[in-house]
């Protein structure tokens, strides 16, 4: 009844310097963290805190909020104080907002110094203020906002262009001795994005924030992010991840956590192992799998529950499962740890599985 031990990692994690985003360590061997961005108006403190609470409940560890106006700046102290997870202020162009975000108690600021260089000595002042407050900076380069100079040099937002841009932005802070930095080099094409992060990981030891920009609606965005993050994380690249979806941010967190669980980089929660069904199936596997998933949603024990369409291969295929069902002739063979313990009518399958799951979790000491 012990949860399966995490598999051996695919590759050693790349050694990065560690930064601290509030109480979350990023880089330097810390577990890969999952983050998202609020979609509320930041100036609406209650709505923003409500969404942050939902994100935190879903397993979000760091949240970013957009700060495009003075009203948003004024909401930051209350949000930073009441949020259960560290808040990163996302700022473009306005150096005074950066100082305000640091004063407000934000755990980090996302800002591209290239955008604020034109304001005389502001980069130096920001480096000093961030340093004094222990606030790290994320430098976020993406295809859409690539420096004009680099667009001309490379013709388009290539991996090389993204990396050169990010390292140049870093150098503007490094000139002032500031290295409390993490970097992202996002692109909407996973191929370019993967190449960019690989290149960047060879050229610096800053922790990396992985993201595919404008990844799209849930299905496409999930596939793009899973493929891109999977390729990089399997090589040990990536210290924190943000899945971007044109969907509510809680969905981003579910996908992000599922990616880490799939790679054995995060302890798995309850897992439904259902067969794809085939001509031998004697039950509607899709519906049964959905019913079992719904009945066990939020179940605390990290059980693997198998839902199999037939008794011929079902239990054998699901040997790795803690419990499960193999259907046949309007009945369900319920098995626990590979042994058939009883056979119940089809209408009782879901409740029997829930009962057995509860028994197992009691045995595991999780209630
Ligand atoms: Fe087909 Fe049975 Fe395997 Fe499901 S468990 S895929 S129904 S053989």
């Amino acid at each position: 009844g012990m949860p399966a031990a995490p598999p051996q990692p695919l590759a050693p994690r790349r050694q990065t310097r560690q930064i601290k985003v509030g109480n979350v360590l990023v880089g330097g061997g810390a577990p890969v963290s999952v983050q998202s961005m609020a979609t509320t108006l930041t100036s609406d403190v209650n709505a923003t805190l409500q969404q942050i609470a939902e994100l935190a409940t879903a397993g979000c560890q760091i949240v970013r909020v957009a700060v495009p106006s003075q009203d948003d700046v004024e909401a930051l102290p209350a949000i930073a104080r009441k949020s259960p997870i560290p808040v990163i202020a996302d700022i473009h162009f306005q150096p005074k907002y950066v100082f305000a975000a640091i004063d407000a108690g934000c755990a980090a600021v996302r800002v591209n110094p290239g955008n604020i260089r034109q304001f005389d000595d502001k980069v130096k002042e920001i480096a000093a203020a961030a340093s004094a407050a222990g606030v790290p900076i994320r430098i976020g380069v993406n295809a859409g906002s690539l420096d004009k100079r680099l667009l001309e040099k490379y013709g388009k937002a290539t991996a090389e262009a993204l990396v050169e841009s990010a390292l140049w932005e870093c150098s503007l802070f490094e000139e002032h001795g500031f290295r409390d930095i993490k970097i992202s080099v996002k692109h909407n094409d996973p191929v370019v994005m993967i190449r960019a992060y690989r290149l960047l990981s060879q050229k610096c030891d800053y922790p990396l924030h992985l993201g595919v920009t404008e990844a799209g609606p849930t299905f496409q965005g999930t596939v793009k992010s899973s493929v891109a993050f999977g390729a990089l994380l399997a090589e040990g690249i990536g210290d924190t991840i943000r899945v971007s979806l044109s969907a509510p941010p809680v969905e981003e967190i579910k996908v992000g956590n599922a990616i880490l669980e799939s790679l054995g980089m995060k302890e798995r929660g309850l897992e439904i192992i259902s067969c794809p069904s085939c001509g031998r199936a004697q039950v509607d596997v899709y519906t049964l799998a959905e019913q079992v998933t719904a009945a066990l949603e939020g179940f605390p024990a990290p059980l693997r529950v198998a839902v199999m369409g037939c008794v011929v291969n079902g239990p054998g295929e699901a040997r790795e499962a803690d419990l499960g069902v193999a259907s046949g002739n309007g009945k369900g063979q319920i098995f626990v740890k590979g042994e058939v313990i009883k056979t119940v009518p089809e209408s009782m399958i879901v409740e029997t599985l829930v009962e057995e799951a509860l028994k197992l979790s009691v045995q595991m000491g999780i209630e």
Side-chain angles (χ1 to χ4, degrees), residues 275-282 285 308-314 317:
C275 83
S277 188
C278 74
R280 273 186 291 271
Q282 296 188 15
V285 176
M308 298 302 187
C310 75
V311 291
V312 181
N313 293 332
E317 284 182 19

Side-chain angles (χ1 to χ4, degrees), residues 30 60 80-81 94 104 125-126 136 168 231 238 253 288 327 336 359:
C60 179
R81 192 171 62 247
Q94 301 92 333
E125 284 175 39
I126 288 173
W168 171 71
I253 295 305
L288 184 58
S327 298
V336 175
K359 283 188 203 162

Side-chain angles (χ1 to χ4, degrees), residues 113-365:
N115 291 338
I116 49 179
R117 200 176 44 136
Q118 63 237 38
F119 302 92
D120 44 57
D121 237 5
K122 288 297 182 227
V123 176
K124 183 178 178 182
E125 284 175 39
I126 288 173
S131 204
V135 166
I137 302 278
R138 169 154 74 94
I139 290 172
V141 172
N142 55 48
S145 60
L146 192 66
D147 199 69
K148 237 191 222 138
R149 184 172 52 86
L150 290 165
L151 258 186
E152 276 163 23
K153 177 171 168 188
Y154 289 96
K156 59 180 180 180
T158 61
E160 290 74 14
L162 291 168
V163 170
E164 186 173 333
S165 174
L167 293 176
W168 171 71
E169 301 264 3
C170 288
S171 75
L172 298 177
F173 276 127
E174 288 161 352
E175 272 171 33
H176 306 293
F178 187 84
R179 289 188 174 75
D180 205 6
I181 293 171
K182 66 183 169 119
I183 313 179
S184 63
V185 280
K186 300 188 183 183
H187 196 284
N188 59 45
D189 181 339
V191 174
V192 179
M193 179 274 195
I194 290 168
R195 292 197 54 236
Y197 277 96
R198 275 182 179 160
L199 197 58
L200 188 57
S201 75
Q202 289 159 10
K203 299 206 166 191
C204 71
D205 69 349
Y206 290 118
L208 303 182
H209 162 122
L210 303 186
V212 176
T213 46
E214 294 100 38
T218 304
F219 177 76
Q220 185 187 288
T222 298
V223 173
K224 279 190 174 185
S225 295
S226 303
V227 168
F229 296 4
L232 290 165
L233 290 168
E235 293 172 16
I237 299 170
D239 300 284
T240 181
I241 62 172
R242 191 264 168 117
V243 174
S244 298
L245 299 176
S246 306
V250 163
E251 299 304 312
E252 300 184 346
I253 295 305
K254 287 189 197 163
V255 174
N257 278 316
I259 291 172
L260 296 182
E261 286 175 14
S262 298
L263 289 166
M265 300 180 88
K266 181 163 220 160
E267 197 179 309
R268 293 187 174 131
L270 182 113
E271 199 176 347
I272 305 290
I273 304 165
S274 52
C275 83
S277 188
C278 74
R280 273 186 291 271
Q282 296 188 15
V283 70
D284 176 355
V285 176
Y286 303 165
T287 304
L288 184 58
E290 264 171 30
Q291 287 169 343
V292 173
T293 304
L296 290 171
E297 170 146 23
F299 199 77
L303 298 172
R304 312 183 84 196
V305 182
V307 176
M308 298 302 187
C310 75
V311 291
V312 181
N313 293 332
E317 284 182 19
R319 204 158 279 141
E320 302 272 293
D322 295 297
L323 79 154
V325 60
S327 298
N329 281 332
K331 298 190 187 106
Q333 284 185 349
I334 306 294
F335 52 92
V336 175
K337 306 284 173 195
E339 303 287 329
V340 177
I341 57 153
K342 62 172 103 168
T343 300
V344 299
E346 206 172 292
S347 60
M348 303 273 292
I349 290 174
V350 176
E351 60 178 281
T352 310
L353 285 176
V354 173
E355 253 168 48
E356 294 303 323
L358 282 168
K359 283 188 203 162
L360 280 176
S361 60
V362 169
Q363 282 171 24
M364 293 163 75

